[in-house]
Amino acid sequence: MAWALADNTVMTELLSAAEAARILGVTRRRVVELAAADPAFPASQPTPGGGRTWPRVAVQAWAAANPDRGPLHRGPELPLVGGRSPQVWKVANLAGAEAQALNHTWIGPEHLLAALVHPDCPGAARSVLASLGVTAERLRQARERSFVDPFEPGSDWKQANPAFQLVLERAHLEAVLLADAEVTSEHVLLALASHWAGDAATTALLSRRGLDPAEVRRRVLDLTEGVAVPPPPEPPQEPDPEVAMRQVAPGLELAPTPDGKDPRRRMPWGSAIFVDPDGRPIKRADGHALRQYYLDRDGNPVLTTDGQPVHAVFDEHGREVTDEDGRPLIVAVEVPDGSSVEAHARNT
């Protein structure tokens, strides 16, 4: 199909690989294979939105002349309701392992992102994220800088939160939209970056890693459709350890540990909870346990030079207040009267 603009310029309708696949009755991958193997297949061109495009008229003409185009594609092999494809099971299990390593009682989109950069992640998602500068090592460094505590005892029971479940369900739709034969890790990545899954928490999760959802989609299409992608960006220069250390709890003079070390050198810090004389957790105004009493990796409480414990600042909605670098704002806190500190996690 073609039409003319006012200046008589002829415009030709262009098809994405998925749209061409639907006309040909094959998978998107088969379209890429045909474009590479058959000299008579219409020439393609990269698109600013990612992937490649073909003129509709040329694709239809090629289809008429080539009835044997490969196996008929009737849609991806979708599992039964509540089920998952092999690759999605693998990603979900890696996300669960990430939650376990962090002693979280939930599995959410943040664990999915970590699963997608894991060395054992199948499919193209890991390569896509690496090409955008997001790697397992980068996530690990960011986690340590944000005071996440992998040492705090936690429950073996994990609850997949609704956002996690919805992303995995959306991955099925992404496979259908792209005319792919199987639901894979790249579909999970597309679902994570989709507007449909773009709640505030997920959007913040991506933006903290410098990921633009539109760029993620472009890169997935490029890598899976044979379009050259730019090399991964150079990793950012790590800050000087002494400078980075001074940025933790700025403005607070911290007491040395029992063995004379600066507690900032014993990060990541863990946490404990305040309990009353009867052993019941002391609640914050938002109903959660007061549990921001920091312990260093050796189990020593982090104290100011005048003996006060420290914790993060929370706003009226129960959210952590962060500094300009995204780190929790740490202040000294009065110990609640009659309270003690319990280092083990408990259900609250």
Side-chain angles (χ1 to χ4, degrees), residues 262-321:
D262 189 314
R264 286 169 288 205
R265 294 187 181 278
R266 310 306 300 158
M267 293 179 65
W269 291 346
S271 63
I273 58 175
F274 285 111
V275 295
D276 65 19
D278 296 322
R280 293 172 301 199
I282 295 175
K283 304 287 187 176
R284 301 196 314 248
D286 59 8
H288 294 285
L290 180 59
R291 58 179 303 111
Q292 303 307 314
Y293 183 103
Y294 283 118
L295 309 172
D296 69 15
R297 68 174 64 179
D298 299 318
N300 303 308
V302 177
L303 303 173
T304 63
T305 52
D306 56 0
Q308 288 182 296
V310 299
H311 71 53
V313 177
F314 290 82
D315 64 18
E316 64 273 17
H317 303 295
R319 296 182 298 233
E320 281 187 339
V321 176

Side-chain angles (χ1 to χ4, degrees), residues 3-345:
W3 60 94
L5 300 179
D7 61 359
N8 294 323
T9 301
V10 175
M11 296 290 292
T12 301
E13 183 179 2
L14 298 175
L15 303 175
S16 68
E19 291 167 333
R22 280 188 275 274
I23 287 177
L24 299 176
V26 297
T27 64
R28 184 171 63 107
R29 173 173 290 184
R30 180 59 180 160
V31 170
V32 175
E33 290 173 350
L34 290 170
D38 188 343
F41 197 83
S44 68
Q45 62 183 25
T47 170
R52 294 189 282 174
T53 57
W54 288 264
R56 174 186 286 274
V57 172
V59 170
Q60 291 173 328
W62 186 92
N66 296 270
D68 185 11
R69 301 185 284 271
L72 180 65
H73 177 56
R74 300 182 183 276
E77 296 182 6
L78 297 180
L80 297 175
V81 175
R84 294 166 183 161
S85 72
Q87 280 206 24
V88 174
W89 268 119
K90 180 68 172 179
V91 171
N93 288 337
L94 289 172
E98 176 72 9
Q100 181 71 27
L102 296 175
N103 291 301
H104 291 166
T105 57
W106 75 95
I107 310 174
E110 63 272 35
H111 305 114
L112 275 177
L113 183 61
L116 294 174
V117 298
H118 192 279
D120 294 335
C121 179
R126 183 175 174 229
S127 297
V128 170
L129 289 167
S131 75
L132 293 167
V134 180
T135 63
E137 177 63 17
R138 293 277 303 278
L139 286 188
R140 183 194 64 78
Q141 293 170 352
R143 185 166 64 232
E144 290 189 357
R145 287 195 297 268
S146 64
F147 304 98
V148 170
D149 174 28
F151 302 106
E152 181 183 0
S155 169
D156 289 335
W157 182 78
K158 304 287 179 257
Q159 175 66 51
N161 68 22
F164 174 89
Q165 302 281 22
L166 289 173
V167 167
L168 296 188
E169 289 300 319
R170 169 73 189 200
H172 296 163
L173 179 55
E174 295 288 351
V176 172
L177 293 174
L178 289 181
D180 288 335
E182 181 188 5
V183 188
T184 61
S185 67
E186 52 264 36
H187 301 118
V188 177
L189 177 57
L190 288 173
L192 194 63
S194 70
H195 294 296
W196 173 88
D199 56 35
T202 305
T203 301
L205 170 69
L206 297 178
S207 64
R208 285 198 301 271
R209 275 58 184 183
L211 294 175
D212 172 47
E215 181 58 28
V216 170
R217 179 168 291 274
R218 282 193 292 270
R219 199 59 61 88
V220 167
L221 294 177
D222 286 344
L223 276 173
T224 56
E225 294 179 11
V227 178
V229 298
E234 290 292 330
Q237 185 176 0
E238 285 297 309
D240 181 88
E242 291 294 332
V243 174
M245 188 183 73
R246 288 194 295 271
Q247 292 174 344
V248 176
L252 288 179
E253 294 292 331
L254 300 181
T257 64
D259 56 0
K261 297 178 180 177
D262 189 314
R264 286 169 288 205
R265 294 187 181 278
R266 310 306 300 158
M267 293 179 65
W269 291 346
S271 63
I273 58 175
F274 285 111
V275 295
D276 65 19
D278 296 322
R280 293 172 301 199
I282 295 175
K283 304 287 187 176
R284 301 196 314 248
D286 59 8
H288 294 285
L290 180 59
R291 58 179 303 111
Q292 303 307 314
Y293 183 103
Y294 283 118
L295 309 172
D296 69 15
R297 68 174 64 179
D298 299 318
N300 303 308
V302 177
L303 303 173
T304 63
T305 52
D306 56 0
Q308 288 182 296
V310 299
H311 71 53
V313 177
F314 290 82
D315 64 18
E316 64 273 17
H317 303 295
R319 296 182 298 233
E320 281 187 339
V321 176
T322 58
D323 61 20
E324 60 183 12
D325 294 319
R327 285 184 288 262
L329 185 61
I330 306 298
V331 298
V333 59
E334 295 286 343
V335 178
D337 291 337
S339 69
S340 58
V341 174
E342 184 172 293
H344 298 289

